[in-house]
Amino acid sequence: MKKKTLIARDFYLNRLIDFKDTDMIKVITGIRRCGKSSLMGLMQEYLLNNGVSEKQIISINFESMAYSDMDVKTLYEYVCKNVVSDKKIYLFFDEVQLVKDWQKAINSFRVDIDCDIYITGSNAYLLSSELSTYLSGRYIEIKVLPLSFREFIDFHGYRLKEKILSDKSSKKIIYDVENDPVDARDVFDLYVKYGGMPSIADVGLDVEKVSAVLDGIYSAVIVRDILERKKHDNIRQINDAVLLRKIMMFLADNIGNNTSSNSIKNTLINEKLIDNRPAVQTVSAYVNALTEAFVFYEIQRFDIKGREYLKTLGKYYIVDIGLRNYLLGNRGGDSGHILENIIYFELLRRGYEVSVGKINNKEIDFIAVKTNEKKYIQVTETMVSEETRQRELAPLTMVDDNYEKFIITMDKPIVTDIDGIRIINALDWLLNE
């Protein structure tokens, strides 16, 4: 069988390379089909191209029938039997959570074998506090997301080149396969329509084919990672597929809105989307299952003046806009929240911890923090009207520290600075990492 050519995802690969041959276990997490297995394949290619022999690499995908009966003891025995003496061994375990007590084997490999370990998992329970304690903190988590806008360009045959303008500034230009320039907004609209799941590149940008791919991803996530997930202590079993889908659709329809389990319950009852009255705890359990499977990400509110996180009315964003379109249909509208969703995940890719800012009775879309860096960011589709401009500027002007403040918009801003607040075109920001 012909081996599939893997498209580079250098951002993630370089993170793995940075920790190569260290005592840290490399734990690759993310929603199913977002590219975790391909990333491990890219790392193996890197090793083979840099002096590591095939015999030094042991790679197991636990979703394969070949390993379906493997338990923790037979896993340990299998690896030990295939170890090459006097050589470092590179262990790659895909969907390792399918093996009960797998962490015991991982810990033993660290003690008994000269090895470098890479594992993937499609559920956040993989790194629960209990498990983190068992691994003694000796791991680094690589959080893989669906394709960024820049990666979408590469995966779908476009090329991004830098053009020097007459005023000596530069601009990123997108070219198609025939090397003709294309409008960045047109490509972005495709990104918004089809999303960034890497497997979509295998079928092309065709509505029916993409829908089939997303249906397969939805089924795999819901069935394997939620409905059929193994029972764990203190984890409520999820078994109502209809209720789960309704909650998914509610969250998908309300990305960027302040949300609570109680508001979800009340809306589902009022709109007759559920026949019974599930307790708030039930709704919370289903929402938690969706966040643990990396379908939705929760973002907390931070009181800027009080300097504390608030426990109520957080927001949820969906990991992939294509998956949202699959759930709700390509109905148009809500483009402001869609842009906000895309910006949020781009901030995560760039290594920021993100919260929603609350200042008095106003809200700042994102506070993005890493090391000694902090940014306050508003996201709006357009700032053409004076009313919108003032609405977006108002909360930023209320923050009295000296950290950077931005408004990201789809407009091509003529004015790029208003009272120290930078106005940035969203496409330029997405293309210039």
Side-chain angles (χ1 to χ4, degrees):
M1 190 168 113
K2 186 178 178 181
K3 189 176 179 181
K4 179 181 175 182
T5 301
L6 298 174
I7 300 175
R9 299 189 75 181
D10 291 340
F11 172 79
Y12 300 109
L13 179 59
N14 288 336
R15 287 279 287 157
L16 290 181
I17 293 170
D18 286 343
F19 287 93
K20 171 182 170 288
D21 293 337
T22 68
D23 190 43
M24 304 295 281
I25 300 163
K26 276 63 72 177
V27 183
I28 305 167
T29 60
I31 189 174
R32 192 173 287 273
R33 313 265 183 94
C34 71
K36 301 186 299 297
S37 300
S38 295
L39 179 59
M40 291 222 295
L42 288 166
M43 187 62 192
Q44 291 172 47
E45 286 183 359
Y46 172 84
L47 293 172
L48 293 171
N49 291 332
N50 286 273
V52 175
S53 71
E54 288 189 12
K55 290 183 179 180
Q56 290 174 258
I57 298 174
I58 298 175
S59 180
I60 301 175
N61 186 336
F62 290 103
E63 290 194 313
S64 167
M65 283 294 292
Y67 306 104
S68 61
D69 294 330
M70 188 173 277
D71 59 22
V72 65
K73 185 176 181 181
T74 53
L75 167 61
Y76 180 79
E77 292 170 347
Y78 175 87
V79 169
C80 290
K81 187 174 70 174
N82 287 280
V83 164
V84 179
S85 60
D86 301 323
K87 295 279 188 180
K88 182 175 280 290
I89 302 301
Y90 294 87
L91 303 177
F92 293 85
F93 301 131
D94 212 345
E95 301 297 344
V96 71
Q97 78 277 357
L98 295 176
V99 178
K100 185 180 179 182
D101 295 329
W102 61 269
Q103 63 272 19
K104 295 179 181 178
I106 298 298
N107 231 20
S108 293
F109 295 145
R110 287 183 51 254
V111 173
D112 300 338
I113 300 171
D114 180 14
C115 63
D116 195 18
I117 304 173
Y118 303 78
I119 65 178
T120 77
S122 298
N123 197 288
Y125 185 81
L126 188 78
L127 290 177
S128 66
S129 58
E130 175 189 337
L131 181 55
S132 298
T133 302
Y134 197 95
L135 296 180
S136 304
R138 293 187 178 91
Y139 69 88
I140 178 72
E141 184 180 6
I142 312 295
K143 301 175 182 179
V144 179
L145 293 166
L147 303 178
S148 68
F149 182 42
R150 281 189 63 145
E151 289 180 315
F152 179 89
I153 290 168
D154 288 339
F155 269 62
H156 289 276
Y158 297 97
R159 289 293 174 264
L160 190 64
K161 300 179 183 178
E162 195 157 357
K163 182 178 180 180
I164 306 300
L165 304 178
S166 57
D167 63 356
K168 305 301 182 183
S169 64
S170 63
K171 182 177 177 61
K172 296 286 195 308
I173 306 294
I174 302 174
Y175 294 84
D176 62 17
V177 290
E178 296 177 352
N179 210 34
D180 292 324
V182 295
D183 191 318
R185 179 60 188 263
D186 291 340
V187 182
F188 182 73
D189 288 344
L190 293 174
Y191 180 58
V192 169
K193 182 176 182 179
Y194 294 108
M197 286 297 185
S199 52
I200 287 173
D202 296 333
V203 301
L205 299 177
D206 174 87
V207 172
E208 291 187 3
K209 292 179 180 177
V210 170
S211 181
V213 169
L214 292 173
D215 182 68
I217 292 171
Y218 169 82
S219 299
V221 170
I222 299 309
V223 174
R224 297 184 193 178
D225 296 328
I226 298 180
L227 295 177
E228 291 184 357
R229 66 180 179 172
K230 289 181 169 56
K231 292 183 179 179
H232 299 290
D233 293 340
N234 303 319
I235 298 291
R236 180 168 184 159
Q237 200 69 11
I238 305 301
N239 51 29
D240 189 335
V242 175
L243 178 59
L244 183 64
R245 186 179 178 99
K246 287 173 179 176
I247 291 174
M248 279 186 74
M249 292 180 71
F250 177 92
L251 291 175
D253 200 24
N254 285 275
I255 53 172
N257 291 330
N258 292 321
T259 305
S260 68
S261 294
N262 200 54
S263 66
I264 296 171
K265 183 200 75 170
N266 290 338
T267 300
L268 293 176
I269 291 172
N270 292 339
E271 297 184 5
K272 295 183 170 49
L273 293 175
I274 53 177
D275 298 324
N276 58 355
R277 290 178 174 264
V280 171
Q281 292 86 345
T282 300
V283 173
S284 295
Y286 278 66
V287 171
N288 289 340
L290 289 166
T291 58
E292 285 183 354
F294 304 107
V295 181
F296 290 93
Y297 284 59
E298 183 181 12
I299 177 172
Q300 289 181 285
R301 291 194 305 154
F302 183 79
D303 186 335
I304 295 171
K305 289 191 172 181
R307 297 186 179 182
E308 63 178 354
Y309 286 98
L310 303 174
K311 295 180 180 179
T312 58
L313 294 177
K315 295 184 178 183
Y316 292 89
Y317 293 99
I318 192 166
V319 72
D320 180 66
I321 290 298
L323 191 58
R324 180 181 191 262
N325 294 334
Y326 162 79
L327 288 167
L328 302 178
N330 287 287
R331 59 190 186 184
D334 208 18
S335 50
H337 277 145
I338 289 172
L339 178 62
E340 195 178 306
N341 198 104
I342 290 170
I343 298 299
Y344 168 70
F345 282 102
E346 186 62 26
L347 288 168
L348 293 188
R349 287 187 190 92
R350 298 185 187 189
Y352 291 98
E353 292 184 10
V354 186
S355 57
V356 176
K358 176 187 176 294
I359 184 160
N360 295 340
N361 63 340
K362 296 189 182 298
E363 204 168 75
I364 295 173
D365 289 328
F366 302 125
I367 305 174
V369 179
K370 63 178 175 181
T371 57
N372 295 322
E373 183 182 351
K374 181 187 288 186
K375 301 178 188 291
Y376 297 96
I377 300 169
Q378 290 285 74
V379 181
T380 182
E381 186 178 19
T382 178
M383 289 181 64
V384 170
S385 76
E386 180 65 22
E387 181 184 357
T388 302
R389 188 180 302 114
Q390 293 306 317
R391 185 187 70 226
E392 300 299 329
L393 287 167
L396 294 175
T397 59
M398 296 170 69
V399 180
D400 59 5
D401 63 32
N402 295 318
Y403 290 108
E404 293 182 293
K405 301 171 181 66
F406 299 87
I407 296 178
I408 298 177
T409 175
M410 290 300 290
D411 294 337
K412 291 287 186 181
I414 298 173
V415 177
T416 58
D417 187 296
I418 301 176
D419 297 329
I421 298 168
R422 290 178 58 195
I423 315 300
I424 303 175
N425 174 258
L427 301 187
D428 290 341
W429 186 80
L430 290 167
L431 293 177
N432 288 281
E433 295 183 2

